[in-house]
Amino acid sequence: MGWRAIVVAAAFVVAGCSGFTATDGPEAVTPAPVPEQPTGPAAVPGLTTDGIASPDALARAHRRSLYDRSYTLTVRWTVGAREGVTRLAVEDERRYRYRSEQMGGGYSDRMFVDGATRYNRYRRPLGVKFVRGQSAPARDRFGHVTARLVRSFLPAGPAAIEPHPDGYELVVRRAPDGFDRVDRYVVRAVVAPSGFVRSFVVSYRNTERNATAYHRFRYADVGETAVERPSWVRERWPEATRRGTATTTPYDSG
């Protein structure tokens, strides 16, 4: 065997041994490709670049975004000749104020929560009723309200989505499945990248009753809302503490 053959044979053996040794040790791992992260509207829970993939996912993200956050919420509704307005100011989960009124009917509800105690005042055509009892966190009592509006009135499918200073503005001009005998259906919403729905407006006409319906909510003073004790609480319960026993009084005139 010539020296070249010996060198080639030796090289083959060395290469084989090297290959065996490498196989016996730690395997070389090829890094898996990193999935490309969605950007733009597609990064918002429940949205795509050109529409709504899941109203339910958006509603859940919106509800989560309200936890442990101060805000002032206004909800307005009109159905035919009836209309009402609700205002909720949340400083934290255990300190908030609520007021709801139905226009023209003499009905209004007010609530103030401070720590473990809830104070209520109900105004009816017969008079005023006061109640004091145990409170619940703001998220448990009211967290579902606006999330339900998003889930109920926002249809899945294509939508016009444009950039907005607070995130994105959505416009949809069709009703969700199951909305019968309606036309002129329009939804406009402003959604933050987190899924927080800052404002929401839906309007449509019931063709059977020829009545227009309008629902709107809007958040303001997010992270900056402070709540003061109302005068009606100070007057009715001057001795009020941070924990009350549920009591009621008959309707008072006025």
Side-chain angles (χ1 to χ4, degrees):
M1 180 182 295
W3 68 270
R4 291 186 180 180
I6 295 174
V7 171
V8 171
F12 181 80
V13 171
V14 171
C17 291
S18 298
F20 180 81
T21 302
T23 303
D24 193 51
E27 295 184 7
V29 178
T30 302
V34 178
E36 185 176 347
Q37 296 299 315
T39 59
V44 180
L47 301 189
T48 66
T49 56
D50 56 1
I52 298 102
S54 172
D56 188 62
L58 179 60
R60 290 196 304 269
H62 168 70
R63 185 170 183 175
R64 287 194 302 269
S65 72
L66 298 175
Y67 291 174
D68 298 319
R69 199 175 192 184
S70 71
Y71 58 84
T72 299
L73 168 67
T74 302
V75 180
R76 297 181 182 274
W77 59 268
T78 301
V79 179
R82 300 168 54 205
E83 60 179 318
V85 60
T86 296
R87 292 184 176 88
L88 173 66
V90 176
E91 181 174 326
D92 58 47
E93 290 297 321
R94 290 288 184 174
R95 188 175 179 88
Y96 54 88
R97 290 178 63 172
Y98 164 87
R99 178 174 180 172
S100 181
E101 296 182 80
Q102 184 173 327
M103 307 305 181
Y107 292 88
S108 71
D109 296 343
R110 297 189 184 187
M111 177 192 300
F112 172 64
V113 166
D114 184 15
T117 309
R118 183 193 77 248
Y119 306 90
N120 293 88
R121 190 186 81 168
Y122 304 102
R123 182 180 295 278
R124 300 292 184 267
L126 293 176
V128 179
K129 181 179 181 179
F130 294 89
V131 178
R132 180 169 62 178
Q134 296 297 308
S135 69
R139 71 176 69 175
D140 294 344
R141 188 174 292 276
F142 297 108
H144 67 283
V145 175
T146 51
R148 181 181 297 172
L149 291 175
V150 172
R151 185 180 292 110
S152 299
F153 290 106
L154 190 65
I161 303 179
E162 297 292 340
H164 186 276
D166 291 321
Y168 301 96
E169 182 178 30
L170 284 62
V171 180
V172 183
R173 299 183 183 276
R174 70 183 183 287
D177 295 339
F179 268 65
D180 299 324
R181 295 182 291 277
V182 299
D183 63 6
R184 304 176 189 172
Y185 194 97
V186 181
V187 176
R188 297 180 184 273
V190 173
V191 183
S194 65
F196 171 56
V197 183
R198 180 173 290 273
S199 65
F200 186 93
V201 182
V202 57
S203 62
Y204 57 91
R205 185 175 70 97
N206 184 307
T207 56
E208 184 178 32
R209 300 181 180 180
N210 193 29
T212 299
Y214 174 90
H215 303 270
R216 174 183 179 179
F217 70 75
R218 183 175 182 82
Y219 288 86
D221 299 326
V222 178
E224 300 177 351
T225 295
V227 173
E228 299 294 332
R229 183 179 292 261
S231 59
W232 60 268
V233 173
R234 294 195 302 268
E235 294 168 2
R236 179 63 182 82
W237 291 283
E239 79 295 349
T241 63
R242 293 187 63 85
R243 185 176 183 86
T245 302
T247 60
T248 63
T249 63
Y251 279 100
D252 301 321
S253 60

